[in-house]
Amino acid sequence: MQLRYIFIYICNVVSKNIKMKFSTIPFLLLPFLASAQSMSIENEDVNISAAIKSDELKISLSGTISDAKTGEPLAGASIYLTDDKIGAIANEKGKYILTNIPDGHHVIEISHAGYATIVEHIELNVNTEKDFKLSSVVVENQGVIITGVSGATSIRKTPVPVTSIRKNALLQSTSSNIIEALTQVPGVSQLSTGPAISKPFIRGLGYNRVVIINEGVRQEGQQWGDEHGVEIDELSVGRVEVLKGPASLIYGSDAIAGVINFITNTPVAEGTFKGNILSNYQSNNGLLALNANLAANNNGFNWNVYGTYKSAGDYKNKYDGKVLNSRFNERNFGGYVGINKSWGYSHFIFSRFDQRLGLVEGDRDDATGNFILFAGTPLERIATNADLDARDLFVPQQRVQHNKFILDNNFAIKKSRLKINIGYQNNQRQEFGNPEDPAEKELFFDLRTINYAVQWQLPELKEWHTTIGVNGMGQKNLNKGEEALIPEYNLFDMGVFVYAQRLFNKATVSGGFRYDSRNVNSKELFEGADLKFEKFNRTFSNFSGSVGVSYEPTNTVTLKANIARGFRAPTLAELASNGAHEGSNRYEYGTQNLKSETSLQFDAGIDVDYEHFSFGVSAFYNNINNFIFYRKLESNFGGDSLVNVDGEDLTAFRFNQLDASLHGIEASLDIHPHPLDWLHFENTVSFVRGKFNQKLDGSDNLPLIPAARLTSELRANFNTAGKSFRNVYIKASTDKTFKQNNAFTGFDTETATDGYTLLNAGFGGDITNSKKKTVLSLHFSITNITDAAYQNHLSRLKYAAENMNTGRLGVFNTGRNFSVKANIPLDFSNK
């Protein structure tokens, strides 16, 4: 009975907060919240409010963190309880203490720059002292992950391929957006439209097939479109987790390719008041970026606030020079406020993402090959050097705004956990395409989403960790522009699931099943007397599940195998689009009778870590039923079907579906000969092949499949370098992308793409004071050292207009680029 009253109490708190913060809550959740408010909790002997406030259980964990070889205390080492969001930093003597820990099972992560991370599962029900000894890092394959599971677990104990990227790795990479930074992960690629617009692809699948999670809530924008990327502030991200493979069990529809989880707001250690200033300059497009944040934690009351400014001009390469209107700018703001106690935690998270993007059209003057401004309009002219050097955006351009509010709660109830997460998102995408009236909003999508999730982690029973849960969303899309590509609609979905994990001596078994139902109510729209969108109502429901095992026969070998069934409901664009797709030179029609995509994927892998080398191999096979794609329409009179839009004939396409399959492999080899543990020769390879089960217009290749890729990096790491330098590194690498001959050539959709090799280098480290505290971190890097001209197979600019002066098709990717990052940590603590 206690759990029922706790749930009622939380619903009261949530409903009051929601009503106070938002006046536009969709009606779908109001009956649920109202019924919760109407219930009485003044029965029996339960007083939930008093129990939460009493903070009765105050379990602590303390000890020392030191170097395993020298015994030297590791000042600055961190220890973190992921599920509880409680952490501490070791002092100059290596001592740490964690307080207000809930009773029960915990996953502890101990880490320090230059050392291998330790992950332990531990049961805490009394005050405990425990020391940890860290070894110099050989290869980092440990760590805690929360993606694709119901509670934190070790990377080695999850059966699916998951990669964790820490802040330090992000600082050492050069990128103009967060997705580009992740393309160093084998199996991850980007569909790009210049430096600012990138969409993630995992193992050859993208768009809505990849679910983006940010602060525990799935990011909901216009994922179906090519013209904008992920609405997440790159410089504020603290850690990223990438899960490769179907993850519908936890996240429901759409997670058929994988999940990328961005983690920004992590509480700082108790009793601290810290800040950070991060800046970045990149030479190719003159990018200037500045990020600042402040965070504090006092007696469990903790908060964080950050702000970012980014501005970039047009990027350049040796074939195109400066690429007109590839400029962009961002102004972002966010943070959280919350409380952590022995009963759990409650956090209120907020963020505002505001990005303005130029859209590259790529039209050129036939005689000179120079870019043309405002092509096809009365204002058409050749771009001048002053135009190319400016940072003001030209038409066409767009503005993408994403506001988000999240109430994240985790309550410890004896040996169990109750997690409740409610979020509100408002995504607005405005496109401006009329140079004679630059303020006219040709497109204006206004998407409003309520996300909800409730999970109950049951008490551990004979090493079984079981969670039951329900999650989903309510969504409403409005068209406020002069044109409409998709109809207005209401959407509501809900899924229930059971997830279990069993810890054995050398093996971990995990899996579960789930049922989802999604209802879509699409609105009709008339343009004059013509019906553009007809009204319809569709419901999609499906089962998903997975089961896998991770086996560790020795401390150096990990074997993994997993089988998972995922699904994806069609998007509104696929069901009902009716309009010209910007930049694609096509007119798209939706198909109302599309079925859900379903996938069955098999994964297997091995990771081996020896004294002199480490290697890992992961292979997969993914069979997809009813794969959705677009195909060219034929005219009733033969030839292509054409639609005239503003005087231009566009080829007509309609969404269709066929069965398909993908298979591939990712492998890595790191050679670090002892005793030269500071020296690493790291190599990774990734390959994916996708095919339809029958040929279409002479081609059976899936579209947008990335080319095979091989990267090699020679790297030296030094924990110390003199009295004032720590965590020093120097690296040089080659990035070889092979030719993609397996393009989807049906209906002239794609062309083959030549291969290329990029040379890169970098160095950096931390500057410390006499107390061994970092006062400044510097990171220098140069990419594409030889200034090679290349086109990535997944670059949309590859299909821009031909340069008649040179005979080259499309626009090329970024040329040589130098980057410098400076990171200044601030500490205002009284300690």
Side-chain angles (χ1 to χ4, degrees), residues 148-298:
V149 292
S150 61
T153 192
S154 165
I155 290 178
R156 295 187 67 178
K157 294 186 182 300
T158 180
V160 295
V162 182
T163 301
S164 178
I165 304 98
R166 298 177 184 272
K167 181 77 171 183
N168 197 50
L170 295 174
L171 289 175
Q172 294 179 17
S173 67
T174 300
S175 61
S176 58
N177 63 75
I178 189 62
I179 300 303
E180 183 182 2
L182 301 182
T183 57
Q184 299 306 311
V185 177
V188 178
S189 51
Q190 62 171 336
L191 177 75
S192 64
T193 312
I197 306 175
S198 296
K199 285 189 173 295
F201 271 57
I202 298 178
R203 291 177 167 177
L205 298 174
Y207 295 104
N208 288 64
R209 299 179 182 96
V210 175
V211 166
I212 302 295
I213 304 294
N214 185 219
E215 299 302 335
V217 169
R218 59 182 289 167
Q219 190 89 353
E220 284 297 316
Q222 306 289 345
Q223 296 100 315
W224 54 270
D226 292 318
E227 298 83 11
H228 69 96
V230 176
E231 308 90 346
I232 293 175
D233 179 9
E234 174 193 11
L235 298 183
S236 68
V237 172
R239 191 170 90 249
V240 187
E241 296 176 358
V242 179
L243 182 151
K244 293 175 281 190
S248 295
L249 171 61
I250 298 296
Y251 303 105
S253 176
D254 301 347
I256 203 171
V259 177
I260 302 179
N261 187 5
F262 296 96
I263 301 162
T264 299
N265 295 293
T266 300
V268 296
E270 171 67 38
T272 59
F273 180 19
K274 295 185 175 183
N276 195 77
I277 298 175
L278 172 62
S279 62
N280 180 212
Y281 169 76
Q282 295 182 25
S283 64
N284 186 278
N285 59 357
L287 182 143
L288 297 169
L290 181 66
N291 170 270
N293 85 288
L294 288 173
N297 190 340
N298 184 21

Side-chain angles (χ1 to χ4, degrees), residues 18 21-22 211-221 223 230-233 236-237 260-265 306 332-337 347-354 400-408 421-428 447-451:
I18 291 292
K21 297 294 180 183
F22 315 113
V211 166
I212 302 295
I213 304 294
N214 185 219
E215 299 302 335
V217 169
R218 59 182 289 167
Q219 190 89 353
E220 284 297 316
Q223 296 100 315
V230 176
E231 308 90 346
I232 293 175
D233 179 9
S236 68
V237 172
I260 302 179
N261 187 5
F262 296 96
I263 301 162
T264 299
N265 295 293
Y306 65 84
N332 308 318
F333 174 79
Y336 86 100
V337 60
H347 293 168
F348 176 71
I349 305 167
F350 56 92
S351 64
R352 176 177 175 81
F353 179 92
D354 191 350
V400 180
Q401 296 170 285
H402 196 94
N403 299 315
K404 183 163 30 183
F405 304 90
I406 302 168
L407 190 59
D408 184 23
N421 187 299
I422 294 180
Y424 172 78
Q425 303 177 67
N426 182 207
N427 182 278
Q428 296 183 332
L447 183 66
R448 304 171 186 180
T449 306
I450 289 285
N451 302 90

Side-chain angles (χ1 to χ4, degrees), residues 386-435:
D387 293 329
L388 294 168
D389 291 338
R391 290 187 178 238
D392 294 334
L393 274 62
F394 293 114
V395 170
Q397 62 173 277
Q398 64 177 325
R399 183 180 187 184
V400 180
Q401 296 170 285
H402 196 94
N403 299 315
K404 183 163 30 183
F405 304 90
I406 302 168
L407 190 59
D408 184 23
N409 303 281
N410 187 329
F411 299 96
I413 307 167
K414 294 186 177 179
K415 298 288 186 177
S416 66
R417 301 285 183 93
L418 182 63
K419 299 180 180 180
I420 296 182
N421 187 299
I422 294 180
Y424 172 78
Q425 303 177 67
N426 182 207
N427 182 278
Q428 296 183 332
R429 178 182 163 228
Q430 304 170 54
E431 188 171 302
F432 307 88
N434 184 358

Side-chain angles (χ1 to χ4, degrees), residues 85 93 122 174 205 212 258 266 275 302 399 409 414 471 539 608 610 619 637 749 808 820:
K85 295 190 177 180
K93 297 181 179 180
I122 188 172
T174 300
L205 298 174
I212 302 295
T266 300
N302 49 88
R399 183 180 187 184
N409 303 281
K414 294 186 177 179
N471 55 21
T539 298
V608 178
Y610 283 118
F637 306 101
T749 303
R808 299 188 182 99
V820 57

Side-chain angles (χ1 to χ4, degrees), residues 704-718:
L704 298 174
I705 297 297
R709 185 181 179 195
L710 170 67
T711 65
S712 297
E713 180 179 275
L714 186 64
R715 181 186 184 98
N717 290 87
F718 305 96

Side-chain angles (χ1 to χ4, degrees), residues 570-740:
T571 67
L572 258 293
E574 294 162 341
L575 291 169
S577 61
N578 185 358
H581 201 140
E582 173 68 30
S584 63
N585 198 36
R586 64 179 185 257
Y587 194 99
E588 292 183 357
Y589 292 102
T591 304
Q592 285 188 25
N593 62 355
L594 292 176
K595 301 177 182 178
S596 292
E597 293 180 347
T598 59
S599 72
L600 185 63
Q601 179 162 314
F602 301 86
D603 276 280
I606 180 173
D607 291 305
V608 178
D609 298 322
Y610 283 118
E611 185 178 27
H612 303 293
F613 68 92
S614 304
F615 74 87
V617 178
S618 178
F620 71 94
Y621 175 80
N622 191 2
N623 186 73
I624 302 179
N625 293 322
N626 302 314
F627 182 87
I628 300 173
F629 64 102
Y630 53 82
R631 62 174 297 172
K632 188 183 295 185
L633 292 177
E634 293 182 359
S635 168
N636 292 331
F637 306 101
D640 296 337
S641 176
L642 300 177
V643 180
N644 188 274
V645 179
D646 297 329
E648 180 182 4
D649 287 334
L650 300 179
T651 305
F653 286 76
R654 183 179 294 277
F655 284 97
N656 201 352
Q657 49 191 174
L658 279 177
D659 294 344
S661 64
L662 299 98
H663 63 273
I665 190 170
E666 294 116 27
S668 63
L669 172 65
D670 184 347
I671 301 172
H672 39 265
H674 185 76
L676 304 179
D677 294 334
W678 51 268
L679 182 65
H680 292 258
F681 182 44
E682 301 176 1
N683 305 269
T684 66
V685 63
S686 57
F687 166 80
V688 59
R689 183 81 165 89
K691 299 182 69 174
F692 289 111
N693 67 344
Q694 67 183 64
K695 287 189 175 182
L696 296 166
D697 195 32
S699 177
D700 62 356
N701 299 313
L702 286 185
L704 298 174
I705 297 297
R709 185 181 179 195
L710 170 67
T711 65
S712 297
E713 180 179 275
L714 186 64
R715 181 186 184 98
N717 290 87
F718 305 96
N719 289 343
T720 59
K723 294 182 179 180
S724 301
F725 299 95
R726 298 181 66 89
N727 305 317
V728 175
Y729 68 91
I730 183 171
K731 61 181 181 178
S733 68
T734 61
D735 188 340
K736 169 65 177 177
T737 298
F738 294 89
K739 185 173 183 178
Q740 179 55 289

